[in-house]
């Protein structure tokens, strides 16, 4: 595990331009995949999981001199697996082994997630876990890989410590959501200006790309971007309105609303 984590983090460092724009897409892909289960598998193994669409909220914020980026979605919960050759979803966040194995899902939950460490080596994870018994439990823990730049033994111990000690399960509060909060001051280069540039360039790209993402992905219904760091606080929402209507095998008709600070900017049909 240590070698795979080191490899992925180093790769992100070697390709900062690519990794700097990849963080959002890795997290969005995981959100989409949480609702992209084979319906037959859902009925047989995970009765609490529903086939549905997902809403996403990204918030870029600041408290004093500390900067944060959070990614939140209301997809299905993290799941237990009875496959002896796979880890459950929570463990996949800590150890880089993907648990995705069906045609409805894309990407790698474990290894892909590691590339988001380009933003921070410290990530708080909040979510809901579906156990082997079918019970829902809330959890809240922090992945802390700030020892990455230290000696190998210390880094291995930090991985093992996170796995053994950090995940605490509590009574479920009837809200299914997953949230990842990145402590941007704890980034690989220890340079807040550098990581702020990565985040802000990534958010700028989304203004152009998100309308197309919602057009072509039926699992994602709504994406909200909260930028609380800019000179004027801005909330931009992209949302599919109503049901998509199929006009032919190659053409769908739908309505996409884009609003800024609750003011409708435009409506697009494709």
């Amino acid at each position: 595990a240590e070698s795979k984590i080191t490899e992925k983090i180093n790769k992100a460092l070697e390709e900062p331009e690519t990794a700097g724009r990849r963080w959002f897409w890795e997290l969005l892909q995981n959100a989409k995949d949480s609702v992209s289960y084979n319906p037959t598998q859902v009925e047989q193994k995970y009765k609490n999981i529903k086939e549905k669409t997902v809403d996403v909220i990204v918030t870029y914020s600041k408290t004093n001199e500390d900067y944060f980026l959070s990614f939140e979605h209301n997809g299905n919960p993290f799941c237990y697996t009875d496959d002896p050759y796979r880890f459950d979803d929570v463990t996949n966040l800590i150890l880089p082994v993907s648990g995705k194995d069906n045609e409805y899902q894309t990407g790698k939950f474990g290894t892909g997630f590691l590339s988001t460490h380009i933003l921070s080596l410290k990530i708080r994870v909040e979510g809901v876990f579906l156990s082997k018994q079918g019970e829902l439990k809330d959890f809240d823990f922090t992945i802390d890989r700030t020892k990455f730049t230290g000696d190998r033994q210390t880094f291995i111990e930090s991985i093992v410590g996170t796995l053994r000690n950090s995940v605490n399960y509590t009574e479920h509060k009837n809200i299914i959501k997953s949230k990842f909060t990145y402590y941007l001051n704890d980034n690989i280069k220890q340079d807040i200006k550098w990581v702020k540039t990565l985040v802000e360039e990534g958010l700028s790209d989304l203004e152009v790309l998100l309308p197309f993402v919602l057009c072509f992905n039926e699992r994602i219904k709504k994406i909200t971007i909260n930028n609380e760091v800019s000179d004027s606080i801005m909330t931009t929402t992209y949302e599919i309105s109503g049901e998509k209507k199929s006009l032919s095998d190659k053409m769908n008709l739908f309505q996409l609303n884009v609003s800024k600070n609750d003011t409708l900017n435009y409506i697009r049909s494709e």
Side-chain angles (χ1 to χ4, degrees):
E2 176 270 340
S3 60
K4 179 64 71 173
I5 293 172
T6 301
E7 174 191 341
K8 284 291 181 178
I9 295 178
N10 278 330
K11 185 175 181 180
L13 270 176
E14 292 167 2
E15 303 173 350
E17 289 189 7
T18 301
R21 283 179 155 82
R22 182 181 172 188
W23 59 265
F24 174 82
W25 306 109
E26 289 292 346
L27 293 168
L28 184 66
Q29 183 169 279
N30 288 335
K32 175 188 74 71
D33 284 349
S34 78
V35 294
S36 299
Y37 284 84
N38 183 319
T40 301
Q41 292 177 336
V42 173
E43 292 171 0
Q44 292 178 349
K45 297 176 64 176
Y46 302 126
K47 294 182 180 180
N48 285 339
I49 291 183
K50 299 178 181 178
E51 189 176 7
K52 61 181 183 180
T53 58
V54 65
D55 297 339
V56 170
I57 301 174
V58 177
T59 302
Y60 178 37
S61 61
K62 175 185 177 183
T63 302
N64 297 323
E65 295 304 314
D66 294 324
Y67 290 80
F68 306 90
L69 181 83
S70 68
F71 184 101
E72 179 179 339
H73 70 80
N74 64 349
N76 283 317
F78 291 75
C79 291
Y80 161 85
T81 178
D82 53 11
D83 187 335
Y85 299 101
R86 295 170 52 208
F87 291 137
D88 61 50
D89 289 342
V90 173
T91 306
N92 274 332
L93 291 174
I94 303 170
L95 299 178
V97 179
S98 178
K100 298 175 182 176
D101 64 351
N102 69 67
E103 61 182 304
Y104 292 83
Q105 298 173 307
T106 55
K108 297 182 178 179
F109 194 27
T111 54
F113 179 75
L114 283 175
S115 68
T116 69
H117 276 302
I118 192 71
L119 299 177
S120 176
L121 292 172
K122 187 176 181 181
I123 309 169
R124 180 181 178 185
V125 184
E126 302 165 79
V128 179
F129 180 72
L130 179 63
S131 72
K132 181 178 181 179
Q133 294 74 29
E135 297 176 340
L136 294 173
K137 295 288 186 180
D138 293 347
F139 67 85
D140 183 344
F141 70 97
T142 299
I143 299 174
D144 188 348
R145 294 195 171 114
T146 53
K147 299 292 193 301
F148 171 74
T149 54
D151 65 276
R152 181 175 181 179
Q153 184 60 36
T154 301
F155 185 44
I156 292 174
E157 289 174 355
S158 72
I159 297 171
V160 174
T162 299
L163 183 59
R164 289 180 177 174
N165 305 320
S166 296
V167 184
N168 296 312
Y169 296 100
T170 58
E171 184 178 353
H172 179 51
K173 298 177 181 177
N174 297 320
I175 298 175
I176 293 188
K177 70 173 185 178
S178 300
K179 186 175 182 180
F180 304 85
T181 301
Y182 291 76
Y183 296 75
L184 300 181
N185 292 67
D186 292 303
N187 64 80
I188 295 173
K189 289 184 176 291
Q190 294 299 305
D191 182 348
I192 190 59
K193 290 184 179 179
W194 175 78
V195 78
K196 281 177 60 183
T197 298
L198 289 185
V199 171
E200 290 164 7
E201 288 181 349
L203 293 179
S204 178
D205 290 345
L206 299 184
E207 187 168 350
V208 175
L209 298 175
L210 285 186
F212 296 99
V213 171
L214 271 72
C215 287
F216 295 105
N217 198 308
E218 62 182 12
R219 295 293 181 188
I220 304 169
K221 183 178 181 182
K222 180 179 179 180
I223 300 177
T224 300
I225 310 295
N226 298 315
N227 188 340
E228 300 175 1
V229 175
S230 61
D231 293 335
S232 56
I233 295 176
M234 178 65 69
T235 295
T236 306
T237 300
Y238 306 81
E239 181 175 14
I240 295 294
S241 177
E243 297 293 330
K244 292 182 180 180
K245 297 180 180 179
S246 178
L247 300 182
S248 68
D249 291 341
K250 297 182 180 180
M251 185 177 296
N252 291 320
L253 178 67
F254 62 92
Q255 180 173 295
L256 173 66
N257 296 344
V258 180
S259 62
K260 294 190 175 184
N261 289 348
D262 294 325
T263 300
L264 186 65
N265 231 27
Y266 59 83
I267 301 175
R268 174 180 295 184
S269 297
E270 299 290 343

